[in-house]
Amino acid sequence: MKKFFNYLFVALIVCGLSFGSAWLAVKHFQQPAAVVMTGDSTQYVLPQAYAKFASLPQAGETDFTVAAELSVNAVVHVKTTYTSQRQQYSADPFFEFFFGRPQQGREAPQQRASGSGVIISPDGYIVTNNHVINKADEIEVVLNDKRSFTAQLVGTDPNTDIALLKIEATDLPVIVMGNSDDIRVGEWVLAVGNPFNLTSTVTAGIVSAKARNINILDTDMKIESFIQTDAAVNPGNSGGALVNTRGELIGINTAIASQTGSYTGYSFAVPTSIVQKVVSDIRTYGVVQRAILGVQIQEITAELQKEKNIPTLKGAYIANVIKDGAAEKAGMKTGDVVTAIDNAVISSATDLQELVARHRPGDKITITVLRNNKPLNLTAELTNKHGDTGIVKRSEGIVVLGAEFTEINQATKQKLGLESGLQVTSVKNGKFQKAGIEKGFIVLKVNNRTIRTEDDLQEVVDAALQASDKDKVLFIAGVNQRGRVEYYAINLNE
């Protein structure tokens, strides 16, 4: 019996020491200063940043029901009908003379696809991804209550993969727009959408990273600054909502990182800081107002840091300053390292792109740069793509045509063997509709001028409008969405 009490006494001492160590650890952790954690023979000094979390109340059980309830009814199913372009265009002597020998092909069948969208106003404005509705002949929107509407395309921005739709309805449920700048890595988020045509699907995960560039957009002025999460997103989720636990919209789900085509771990969303700017521009001006700083930038790597003797790995390295651009006029030089814009810290080249993209031509920003290892503040007045500070508007010529356009991407170039072209993304009342030009038609030449951008088309149409009456004609050559060569003559006098 005496031996038993000896063992019991030793056990109590061990338990007491263990409890005491744990109590001391907790006590130290709650102190608003650097914390010393003791474990075995090693001491770990926690960063000072831990102190601010010590006074926070202990988190309760995670509950996503409120966020799901607030968001699921405002996420819609977007269904599209389009004509496949798998077949290449048929040969044509006139076309061959100008553009080279094409390959033989035959008419392709109509296809169907689907994605998601988010209602952002009670009167029927819906934001989705550009790639969800790109090349669509018809767009159908199905609400969570199963009502169905035909949607009109208001405008698109391939540079951010955002599109705006409109349906004729009132008193629709909406998602409150949140501030994507406020989210933190590790924060819980929900993805709401229609994967694999499974309507109103909600998945949960955490924010894995911010300002992620994954090089999926194929445009000259692309802006990629995605929110990366591990919330499960699959085909059909594109255009759906990424919301925080308060049910606020913080992003539009856009892409997944996958080698199989299905979700394998990470998904990416366009943050609302970009979405709001794009949507506002489309509604106000009909076209996105892209602010340009006039620099070529590089990510700062360990190799670049060593080569250029840069004192930091954070920021954006200015590899080149465009002549007569906003940056040059502000006094920026090649070799500068941008560390902040309007006091917002720049950690990467992606941060710089995103912050500039939030502005419009004519906006003035304060840029903090490191030059010769010393900070310097400069003021730049951002310009538009033409090099001035005016608001970019669709030209009267483009308005007369009654169509919207986008430059063809690399995949289309390779598929059709084209070097360039301007594709029709929508056709409304105007010259194109009267001539029978359909959505998906690729404009290659107008009045014998090669058309690569919308600016090219604007210049040709404006020139024709200013010509004498007999010369106010547009001769258009291109490829339709069924893969066949077509020619049109449009009399601008009619």
Side-chain angles (χ1 to χ4, degrees):
M1 181 64 69
K2 183 178 180 180
K3 185 178 293 186
F4 170 77
F5 281 109
N6 287 337
Y7 284 132
L8 180 60
F9 178 72
V10 172
L12 288 173
I13 290 175
V14 172
C15 289
L17 290 173
S18 298
F19 177 79
S21 298
W23 181 83
L24 286 172
V26 172
K27 183 175 184 298
H28 280 294
F29 185 76
Q30 290 177 340
Q31 293 176 351
V35 182
V36 177
M37 297 291 287
T38 303
D40 298 329
S41 60
T42 307
Q43 289 189 334
Y44 299 91
V45 180
L46 300 183
Q48 186 73 26
Y50 274 76
K52 68 179 181 180
F53 298 106
S55 60
L56 295 177
Q58 186 173 0
E61 182 180 358
T62 301
D63 188 343
F64 301 124
T65 56
V66 173
E69 180 66 25
L70 289 173
S71 56
V72 71
N73 291 309
V75 175
V76 302
H77 198 177
V78 179
K79 299 181 178 181
T80 61
T81 302
Y82 66 98
T83 303
S84 172
Q85 291 188 329
R86 292 175 300 172
Q87 306 297 328
Q88 294 187 315
Y89 46 77
S90 59
D92 180 279
F94 181 75
F95 189 90
E96 184 177 323
F97 176 79
F98 284 105
F99 305 109
R101 182 181 297 276
Q103 297 184 21
Q104 292 289 339
R106 52 193 172 83
E107 194 167 301
Q110 281 204 325
Q111 304 290 320
R112 293 184 179 276
S114 68
S116 303
V118 181
I119 304 172
I120 58 172
S121 69
D123 58 345
Y125 281 98
I126 296 168
V127 65
T128 185
N129 284 137
N130 176 62
H131 76 260
V132 169
I133 52 81
N134 189 31
K135 304 177 185 178
D137 299 319
E138 297 178 1
I139 304 172
E140 179 188 7
V141 167
V142 182
L143 306 187
N144 194 43
D145 62 11
K146 299 182 180 180
R147 285 185 293 166
S148 177
F149 298 85
T150 297
Q152 297 297 319
L153 179 62
V154 180
T156 67
D157 182 32
N159 291 312
T160 57
D161 199 16
I162 293 296
L164 185 64
L165 309 177
K166 178 71 167 65
I167 61 175
E168 296 303 319
T170 57
D171 299 323
L172 296 174
V174 300
I175 296 181
V176 174
M177 194 75 73
N179 187 351
S180 56
D181 289 344
D182 291 340
I183 63 171
R184 296 184 298 177
V185 173
E187 181 177 335
W188 281 104
V189 289
L190 277 72
V192 187
N194 306 281
F196 303 122
N197 283 317
L198 298 172
T199 59
S200 306
T201 296
V202 179
T203 57
I206 64 168
V207 175
S208 305
K210 297 173 63 177
R212 184 72 82 193
N213 186 331
I214 57 175
N215 290 315
I216 62 167
L217 300 182
D218 183 23
T219 60
D220 292 335
M221 299 180 66
K222 64 181 180 181
I223 304 295
E224 291 191 21
S225 186
F226 295 115
I227 301 170
Q228 178 182 325
T229 82
D230 64 354
V233 168
N234 277 293
N237 271 111
S238 289
L242 185 71
V243 301
N244 58 25
T245 53
R246 295 183 296 278
E248 298 169 336
L249 183 71
I250 58 170
I252 297 297
N253 294 316
T254 299
I256 58 177
S258 173
Q259 295 180 344
T260 65
S262 296
Y263 175 77
T264 56
Y266 292 111
S267 54
F268 303 88
V270 179
T272 53
S273 59
I274 292 177
V275 174
Q276 285 183 289
K277 163 67 165 51
V278 170
V279 169
S280 175
D281 282 357
I282 291 175
R283 292 187 65 174
T284 305
Y285 306 106
V287 62
V288 175
Q289 302 299 311
R290 188 74 65 213
I292 297 176
L293 181 57
V295 293
Q296 293 176 347
I297 57 178
Q298 259 182 274
E299 202 71 61
I300 301 176
T301 62
E303 292 78 14
L304 184 65
Q305 182 190 37
K306 183 177 180 181
E307 177 188 346
K308 302 294 184 180
N309 194 28
I310 302 172
T312 178
L313 281 168
K314 290 188 176 181
Y317 179 77
I318 304 302
N320 185 38
V321 177
I322 307 301
K323 183 175 176 56
D324 296 328
E328 184 183 67
K329 292 177 181 178
M332 294 183 69
K333 296 181 178 181
T334 299
D336 285 348
V337 175
V338 180
T339 59
I341 288 183
D342 292 334
N343 295 321
V345 175
I346 301 294
S347 297
S348 65
T350 301
D351 287 340
L352 176 59
Q353 287 182 313
E354 179 185 349
L355 287 173
V356 172
R358 297 182 190 184
H359 292 81
R360 295 189 175 105
D363 287 352
K364 292 183 178 180
I365 59 174
T366 299
I367 306 172
T368 303
V369 302
L370 284 179
R371 183 181 298 168
N372 299 324
N373 296 343
K374 294 180 180 180
L376 176 66
N377 287 331
L378 303 170
T379 300
E381 186 175 19
L382 300 172
T383 68
N384 57 33
K385 60 184 179 181
H386 303 300
D388 57 53
T389 58
I391 294 297
V392 176
K393 298 180 179 179
R394 297 180 66 82
S395 75
E396 290 302 316
I398 296 295
V399 172
V400 167
L401 297 181
E404 293 186 345
F405 306 87
T406 185
E407 297 173 32
I408 59 173
N409 57 30
Q410 192 61 37
T412 303
K413 291 177 183 178
Q414 293 177 350
K415 186 183 299 182
L416 297 178
L418 301 172
E419 292 185 359
S420 60
L422 199 63
Q423 189 161 40
V424 179
T425 57
S426 71
V427 179
K428 301 176 183 178
N429 291 331
K431 299 294 185 181
F432 268 33
Q433 186 181 72
K434 290 181 181 179
I437 299 177
E438 298 179 345
K439 183 176 182 178
F441 178 76
I442 300 174
V443 179
L444 297 176
K445 278 199 172 187
V446 178
N447 290 354
N448 207 32
R449 173 172 171 176
T450 299
I451 303 299
R452 295 182 174 84
T453 67
E454 190 166 326
D455 286 344
D456 293 338
L457 182 59
Q458 285 181 357
E459 291 177 8
V460 174
V461 177
D462 289 344
L465 285 171
Q466 295 170 10
S468 60
D469 287 346
K470 67 176 183 178
D471 293 324
K472 287 186 178 179
V473 180
L474 299 178
F475 295 100
I476 301 172
V479 179
N480 72 13
Q481 61 181 337
R482 298 175 183 82
R484 293 181 178 274
V485 177
E486 290 183 348
Y487 312 97
Y488 296 93
I490 297 178
N491 188 340
L492 297 176
N493 289 313
E494 297 178 352

